[in-house]
């Protein structure tokens, strides 16, 4: 099941194949109460999970990982964790592709390049009395991207002359995410919000969205300090969280 990666990095559980690294992290937390960060990395996933019950196509050569992180910050900061993850993936992809204007964060935490999705994140919180954990699942397309009907996709190597590989991307992401988590606080949350806004897809533009099962449109004007999206329509200013609003990509 595990291979050599785990020998070099004791904080990484590496699987050649698994249903979902997020599911495996959940199973781990049913039996353990880790004090430190613990990574789950898989070469491929048989049942990769996306946000809002979607599937995450998980072919070999791309990155599928989840991080178990004990929550040792104020729970009110939790919504901004989604922003922390978004800016960290954006930063990591910039280190490979260059901080091109093409890389954008689609709220809450998709990364798009040229309007095509290259990465997504699924954050699941396990709060059980005094035991508080977040599982940060991240998928990054490195060597290939699936052909999907619902949206356009891309991958890192499509934008590189000298190709990279999944291990290189994982180690950069690991480093960047661990560094940012170490200093996660109200102070860094304010900086994360600004970084998100600088790189936000469709900021100050009209977006179409679904909220309460109703399709609507409005101008995406801001992100609040609890990482809600703020939308202006002719009649109102609405602030909604990522469970309440889904941006439609057209
Ligand atoms: C999305 O954009 O819908 C979120 C995609 C998250 C995919 C990653 S891949 C590693 C981890 N394990 C999963 O089953 N999902 C996340």
């Amino acid at each position: 099941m595990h291979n050599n990666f785990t020998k070099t990095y004791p904080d990484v559980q590496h699987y050649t194949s698994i249903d979902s690294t997020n599911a495996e992290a959940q199973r781990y937390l049913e039996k353990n109460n880790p004090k430190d960060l613990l990574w789950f990395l898989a070469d491929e996933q048989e049942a990769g999970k996306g946000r809002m019950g979607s599937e995450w196509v998980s072919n070999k050569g791309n990155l599928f990982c989840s991080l178990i992180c004990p929550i040792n910050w104020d729970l009110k900061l939790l919504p901004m964790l989604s922003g922390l993850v978004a800016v960290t993936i954006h930063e990591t992809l910039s280190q490979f592709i260059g901080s091109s204007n093409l890389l954008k964060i689609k709220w809450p935490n998709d990364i798009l390049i040229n309007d095509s999705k290259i990465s997504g994140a699924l954050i699941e919180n396990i709060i059980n009395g005094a035991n508080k954990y977040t599982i940060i699942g991240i998928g990054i397309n490195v060597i290939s991207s699936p052909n999907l009907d619902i949206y356009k996709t891309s991958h890192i190597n499509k934008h590189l002359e000298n190709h990279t590989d999944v291990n290189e991307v994982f180690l950069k992401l690991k480093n960047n995410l661990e560094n940012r988590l170490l200093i996660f606080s109200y102070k860094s949350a304010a900086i994360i919000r600004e970084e998100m806004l600088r790189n936000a897809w469709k900021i100050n533009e009209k977006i179409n969205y679904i909220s309460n099962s109703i399709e609507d449109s409005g101008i995406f004007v801001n992100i609040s300090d609890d990482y809600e999206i703020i939308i202006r329509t002719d009649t109102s200013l609405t602030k909604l969280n990522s469970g309440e609003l889904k941006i439609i990509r057209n």
Side-chain angles (χ1 to χ4, degrees):
M1 181 170 63
H2 299 184
N3 75 14
N4 283 338
F5 210 103
T6 309
K7 276 194 194 138
T8 325
Y9 300 93
D11 56 344
V12 181
Q13 305 227 4
H14 187 184
Y15 302 82
T16 47
S17 183
I18 195 128
D19 53 350
S20 147
T21 53
N22 266 42
E24 181 66 4
Q26 274 175 18
R27 288 189 290 265
Y28 184 90
L29 285 177
E30 281 165 18
K31 300 197 191 87
N32 305 277
N33 292 319
K35 295 270 169 294
D36 295 316
L37 300 179
L38 184 63
W39 287 89
F40 295 79
L41 171 70
D43 296 343
E44 61 186 346
Q45 298 185 123
E46 283 140 32
K49 298 192 286 179
R51 290 183 61 242
M52 295 179 161
S54 63
E55 175 201 7
W56 187 256
V57 178
S58 305
N59 297 324
K60 226 177 161 146
N62 292 332
L63 176 60
F64 317 105
C65 62
S66 302
L67 173 64
I68 289 182
C69 175
I71 297 177
N72 52 18
W73 56 79
D74 190 341
L75 277 183
K76 289 199 196 106
L77 268 175
L78 207 47
M80 197 46 97
L81 180 72
S82 183
L84 183 151
V85 172
V87 297
T88 305
I89 305 172
H90 183 273
E91 171 190 27
T92 307
L93 290 171
S94 306
Q95 288 168 340
F96 288 93
I97 297 171
S99 47
S100 79
N101 297 326
L102 306 175
L103 270 179
K104 294 284 175 201
I105 301 169
K106 175 177 167 274
W107 180 87
N109 48 32
D110 285 359
I111 308 297
L112 309 183
I113 182 156
N114 261 338
D115 292 339
S116 299
K117 181 159 168 172
I118 190 164
S119 170
L122 175 66
I123 300 172
E124 299 180 292
N125 301 315
I126 311 277
I127 298 186
N128 192 347
N131 292 325
K132 292 177 287 182
Y133 291 97
T134 184
I135 299 171
I136 303 170
I138 297 175
I140 300 180
N141 295 332
V142 180
I143 67 161
S144 69
S145 26
N147 273 325
L148 303 177
D149 292 336
I150 27 177
Y151 53 76
K152 291 186 289 172
T153 60
S154 192
H155 52 276
I156 298 179
N157 280 352
K158 193 169 172 183
H159 300 272
L160 292 186
E161 263 176 41
N162 296 318
H163 286 177
T164 184
D165 64 32
V166 63
N167 286 357
E168 261 182 1
V169 179
F170 173 64
L171 290 176
K172 275 227 161 64
L173 176 73
K174 179 175 186 293
N175 189 49
N176 292 337
L177 190 55
E178 288 175 359
N179 286 341
R180 294 228 190 210
L181 285 170
L182 207 63
I183 56 158
F184 190 36
S185 63
Y186 282 101
K187 197 171 158 202
S188 70
I191 296 167
I192 288 165
R193 176 177 165 272
E194 281 164 22
E195 197 173 337
M196 156 56 179
L197 284 169
R198 270 202 308 280
N199 296 292
W201 184 75
K202 295 264 185 191
I203 184 79
N204 296 322
E205 289 182 42
K206 184 180 158 207
I207 57 166
N208 299 316
Y209 56 86
I210 298 177
S211 177
N212 260 330
S213 310
I214 294 167
E215 232 182 281
D216 210 339
S217 64
I219 310 291
F220 166 19
V221 287
N222 212 340
I223 298 279
S224 71
D225 54 14
D226 48 4
Y227 209 59
E228 295 196 323
I229 191 166
I230 302 177
I231 299 198
R232 196 181 60 225
T233 65
D234 291 342
T235 51
S236 64
L237 204 59
T238 318
K239 184 169 159 290
L240 292 165
N241 69 38
S242 56
E244 297 167 328
L245 181 143
K246 184 174 160 47
I247 302 179
I248 312 170
R249 204 116 57 74
N250 53 15

